[in-house]
Amino acid sequence: MSLASTFYNTLVKRNSVFVPAIFTGAFAFSIGFDLGITKLWDTWNKGKQWKDIRARYVEEQ
Amino acid sequence: MATVHLSKKAVTIPTTVRTLSSGVPVAPLVNLAARGSAGSGHGHGHGASGPRSDVPPRWAGGVSRTSSGLLSKTFAYPPVTGIHQKSLLHTSAVVRDAPQVPDFSKYEAKDPATNRGLAYLMIGSLGLLSASAAKSTVTEFLATMAASADVLAMAKVELDLASIPEGKNAIIKWRGKPVFIRHRTPDEIEEARNTDWKSLRDPESDEARTKKPEWLVMLGVCTHLGCVPIGEAGDYGGWFCPCHGSHYDISGRIRKGPAPLNLEVPQYDINEAEGKMTIG
Amino acid sequence: MLARLPAGALKNVAALSGARSTSLNAARSLPRVRFASSSASSSSAFESFTNSRVTLASATLLTVGSIAWYANLYGTLPFIGEVHANSPAEEGLHPAQYPWSHGGLLDSFDHASIRRGYQVYREVCAACHSLDRIAWRNLVGVSHTVDEVKAMAEEVEYEDGPNDQGEMFQRPGKLSDYLPPPYPNEEAARASNQGALPPDLSLIVKARHGGADYIFSLLTGYRDPPAGFEIREGMNYNPYFPGNAISMARVLFDGLVEYDDGTPATTSQMAKDVVTFLNWAAEPEHDERKKAGLKAVILFSALTAISLYVKRHKWSIIKSRKIQYNPPSSH
C-alpha cells in the first residue's frame, strides 16, 4: 500500500480520527514551531542575548 | 465631451422576396396557395399533394393577404430548396456527429490514491495551521486581560524575617490591604495546635493555615465587615475587631462574634536560607 | 464644441444655471435637433450632468479651492519641491547610517552593549537626563541579574508613605521603583541648565528623526564651529543638531568610564553603547517583536500557499466540468 493510501486510511477515512488528529497536530506544531524558531533565533544572535552573557555576572556572587 | 448619439431610422421597403431567419423564403406577392392540379383528396400533407413534394402542408403555415401584400407564415421547417442566403442567426441546435469539446485527459491525476492523499494532506495542514494560529490568537488575547507587569511588580512584597522578634506582630501594606505577620512563641504554637478545631465555626487546622509554625501570615481584614482587627487582644489571645466585637484566636480563626470566616491567609513564600518572606 | 453637445445636455444646463443663464443664451438659441434615440433615460441624464459646463466649473473650483486651502493651512504642498532660505546644514546634517548590532530583520539587541550603555547612562547622562519610564525591574534579565539590580535600587532613597502617623518617609528602592530623576521638576532642570531642559531619554530614540543614527552622530559630532559661525556664550556647535547650536556640551571623552568587561572606553564605543541602551529603553519589546514577526511571516506565508492550493482544489470540479448537449436524434 502506498504512502498516500496509508495516510488516507489511517487518518482521513474517519472524521472522528481526522479532526482530533488536526487538533493534536496543531498543539504539537505550535510547540515544535516555537522551539525551531527559538533555535534559529539563538543561532542567529549567538553571543548577543542576555542568556549568553548571564554566566559572567552570576558567578561573581 | 460631446457624446455620439446614434440615430436609428426604420425604413420600410416593400420587398418582393425575403428570407426568414430559419431560411424559409417568403414571397408575399407570390401566391403559394396556388397548388398543382394533381388530385389530393384530403390535402393535409401526405401523399402527392402537388407538383413538388416539399411544399409544406397547409397546417404548417398559410398565406394571407395583408395591406402590404401576401404574407406567408410557415411553422415547419421544410428543407431549403434553393434560397440563397445563409442563415446568420441560429435558432436551432446544430447537430454534430463529434462534439468539439476540449480534451481534459491530460489534467487527470496519474494515480487517484496519491491525488486524494495529497488533497487531504493539504486540507489537513490548512486546518492544522489555522488551529495553531487561532490558539495563539486566543492565548495572546487572554494574556492582555492579565495584570500588567508594573502591577505585578507592586503586588509582591518582600520583608526580612529577622526584623520581627519572637512574640511580635508586624503589619505591612500589600495591595492596599494590611497584612498581619506574627512571629509566634512555642507556647502560642502549642495553643493554636491543641485547639479542638473541628468544633469551630469555620473549621480549619493550624497546620493548614501556616507554612512554618512560627510564622502566621494573614490579611488584616475582618471577615465580617472589613475592619482592621487589633493584635494581641480579645478573649482568645489573638485579634479583636473593635467594630462589632469579633474575637480571633492565635491562629486567626474566628471564635466569637459576628464574623463568619477565619482571617484570610494570602499566598506567601518563606526563603529560610536568606531569611526572607515574599507575600504575593 | 457646443454644436457637438447633445441637445439633452444643453437643456439641463439651462435648467441648472437658472438666473445665471444669460451667458448660455447662445447655446439655448441653437436650433433644436431631435434625434430618435435622445429621449431622456437615466444614463443620458447622468451623462448630461457629467458633461455639463457647470459641473466642469464647480469641479475646477473645488480642486483649486482645496489646494489653496491645504497650502494655506500647512504651508506646503505635497510632492512639490521647495526652496528654503536656510541651508540643510542649519537644519542639522543628516546622520550617516551605522551598522547597528540590532539593525537587521532578525538581529536582537547586543545585551552586553546594553549593560555597558547603562553604565554610561548612570555615570554620565543621568547627571542631567531622567529615564522616567524605565523601572529597576526592567533591567532584570536584560542587562543585570536580579541581585545586581536590587543592590543598585537600594542605593537610592525613595519617598513612600504615608505611614501609620500619616507622614511620608524615605526608604531604600525596590525593584518596582522607577529610575530616579536628576531633578525634582522641570523648573529645577531648567534652572540648573541655563534655561534649557534636558529631555527625558526613555523614548528619545523613537522621538528623534534619524533615531539611533542621529543620537550617535550627535554625541560624537561636537567640533569647532566653522569660520564666521556666531555661537552664543554657553552654547556648543554641533552640525547634526537643528540650528547647529546645542546647550548640551560634549560629554563623552575617551576613558571617561571604566567598563567592567574590559572593553576600551573610547568616545565612539561609549556612544554606541549608550545609544544601544537608549534604543532598548525606547523599545524593550524589540527582541520579542522580531522573533514574533519571523514566526508570523513563516506561518502566514504557509497558510496563504496552502489556502491557494485548497481553493484550486475546490474549484477544479467546476473549472474542468464539461457540458455536452445531445439533441434528440429525431422527433
Side-chain angles (χ1 to χ4, degrees), chain A residues 29 33-34 37-38 40-41 44-45 47-50 53-54 56-58 60-61, chain C residues 101 106-112 115 141-144 287 290-291 294-295 298-299:
Chain A
F29 169 79
F33 187 59
D34 197 44
I37 293 292
T38 308
L40 173 68
W41 177 261
W44 187 275
N45 294 304
K48 286 165 72 181
Q49 300 189 81
W50 169 246
I53 61 170
R54 181 175 177 272
R56 289 188 225 159
Y57 305 107
V58 174
E60 285 173 8
Q61 301 298 314
Chain C
S101 54
L106 294 181
D107 286 333
S108 75
F109 279 127
D110 184 356
H111 286 245
R115 187 187 171 95
V142 173
S143 58
H144 296 76
D287 291 2
K290 283 186 175 173
K291 207 167 142 185
L294 174 65
K295 280 158 99 170
I298 293 178
L299 198 63

Side-chain angles (χ1 to χ4, degrees), chain B residues 1-3 5-8 93-95 99 101-104 115 118-119 122-123 125-126 129-130 132-133 149-151 153-154 156-158 173 276, chain C residues 1 4-6 35-38 44 47 51 53 137 150 162 176 178 299-300 302-303 306-307 309-310 313-314 319-327:
Chain B
M1 272 184 63
T3 51
H5 283 246
L6 292 173
S7 63
K8 291 176 194 159
V94 178
V95 181
V101 179
D103 181 17
F104 288 129
N115 198 37
L118 182 66
M122 286 297 188
I123 291 167
S125 312
L126 184 69
L129 293 184
S130 311
S132 176
D150 57 336
V151 173
M154 302 281 277
K156 272 189 192 291
V157 170
E158 200 178 70
K173 219 176 234 183
K276 295 208 165 157
Chain C
M1 192 183 79
R4 293 174 60 201
L5 280 173
F35 293 103
S37 65
S38 66
S44 75
E47 279 172 3
N51 294 340
R53 292 203 299 183
R137 62 188 161 78
K150 274 185 186 168
S176 55
Y178 286 78
L299 198 63
F300 285 120
L303 270 178
I306 297 180
S307 53
Y309 176 92
V310 172
H313 174 75
K314 296 279 183 198
K319 291 236 178 178
S320 63
R321 170 167 70 181
K322 298 188 219 185
I323 298 177
Q324 183 175 344
Y325 174 65
N326 285 320

Side-chain angles (χ1 to χ4, degrees), chain C residues 6-289:
Chain C
L10 295 175
K11 199 165 66 182
N12 280 355
V13 167
L16 278 170
S17 54
R20 298 190 292 117
S21 63
T22 44
S23 61
L24 296 166
N25 274 343
R28 203 191 271 168
S29 63
L30 280 172
R32 287 279 158 87
V33 184
R34 176 88 192 159
F35 293 103
S37 65
S38 66
S39 61
S41 68
S42 65
S43 78
S44 75
F46 175 73
E47 279 172 3
S48 352
F49 173 70
T50 53
N51 294 340
S52 79
R53 292 203 299 183
V54 167
T55 310
L56 176 70
S58 41
T60 311
L61 204 64
L62 188 71
T63 312
V64 172
S66 52
I67 290 175
W69 171 78
Y70 186 94
N72 180 48
L73 196 60
Y74 297 106
T76 59
L77 288 177
F79 315 118
I80 296 177
E82 289 181 55
V83 179
H84 290 277
N86 47 351
S87 66
E90 285 163 335
E91 297 209 316
L93 277 183
H94 268 282
Q97 281 216 331
Y98 293 101
W100 293 102
S101 54
H102 53 272
L105 284 177
L106 294 181
D107 286 333
S108 75
F109 279 127
D110 184 356
H111 286 245
S113 186
I114 295 179
R115 187 187 171 95
R116 292 192 298 267
Y118 171 75
Q119 193 183 347
V120 176
Y121 166 75
R122 182 84 276 163
E123 294 180 15
V124 183
C125 317
C128 298
H129 290 278
S130 56
L131 199 64
D132 285 343
R133 285 164 200 281
I134 298 296
W136 292 108
R137 62 188 161 78
N138 294 124
L139 296 172
V140 175
V142 173
S143 58
H144 296 76
T145 64
V146 184
D147 299 325
E148 287 172 325
V149 178
K150 274 185 186 168
M152 291 191 296
E154 279 168 11
E155 288 171 12
V156 186
E157 291 270 303
Y158 285 87
E159 192 178 45
D160 200 356
N163 61 7
D164 299 341
Q165 278 74 46
E167 290 154 0
M168 307 301 278
F169 57 92
Q170 297 290 117
R171 59 158 176 79
K174 294 188 289 190
L175 284 183
S176 55
D177 289 315
Y178 286 78
L179 294 195
Y183 304 109
N185 48 52
E186 185 184 326
E187 285 71 17
R190 285 193 188 278
S192 312
N193 289 287
Q194 302 163 352
L197 174 69
D200 183 78
L201 296 184
S202 311
L203 293 164
I204 201 76
V205 171
K206 275 181 173 172
R208 291 292 176 268
H209 186 70
D213 290 330
Y214 165 73
I215 294 168
F216 180 87
S217 303
L218 191 79
L219 289 175
T220 56
Y222 286 93
R223 62 203 62 199
D224 293 332
F229 189 87
E230 287 286 325
I231 198 146
R232 274 197 295 129
E233 183 63 31
M235 304 291 273
N236 302 275
Y237 179 77
N238 194 317
Y240 295 98
F241 191 71
N244 294 358
I246 183 169
S247 295
M248 179 175 132
R250 177 178 170 179
V251 287
L252 295 179
F253 297 94
D254 287 354
L256 187 65
V257 301
E258 195 170 330
Y259 285 134
D260 57 2
D261 59 0
T263 310
T266 60
T267 301
S268 58
Q269 177 72 39
M270 286 187 289
K272 176 221 155 195
D273 288 340
V274 80
V275 169
T276 307
F277 170 72
L278 292 177
N279 203 339
W280 166 79
E283 298 177 277
E285 84 294 347
H286 173 277
D287 291 2
E288 277 306 307
R289 167 162 61 80

Side-chain angles (χ1 to χ4, degrees), chain B residues 166 182-185 189 193 210-216 272:
Chain B
E166 201 174 64
R182 181 161 180 88
H183 193 168
R184 297 192 293 190
T185 61
I189 298 170
R193 307 234 149 168
T210 51
K211 289 196 175 166
K212 284 179 63 65
E214 327 54 289
W215 295 104
L216 176 67
E272 270 192 271

Side-chain angles (χ1 to χ4, degrees), chain B residues 31-45:
Chain B
N31 188 1
L32 288 178
R35 291 177 180 268
S37 58
S40 65
H42 37 287
H44 49 261

Side-chain angles (χ1 to χ4, degrees), chain B residues 227-268:
Chain B
C227 291
V228 178
I230 302 165
E232 295 172 355
D235 296 354
Y236 297 89
W239 284 264
F240 171 69
C241 180
C243 293
H244 302 96
S246 297
H247 298 258
Y248 298 91
D249 69 5
I250 198 64
S251 186
R253 293 174 291 208
I254 180 65
R255 301 295 282 268
K256 200 169 121 188
L261 296 170
N262 301 334
L263 289 178
E264 195 187 335
V265 177
Q267 197 180 13
Y268 66 97

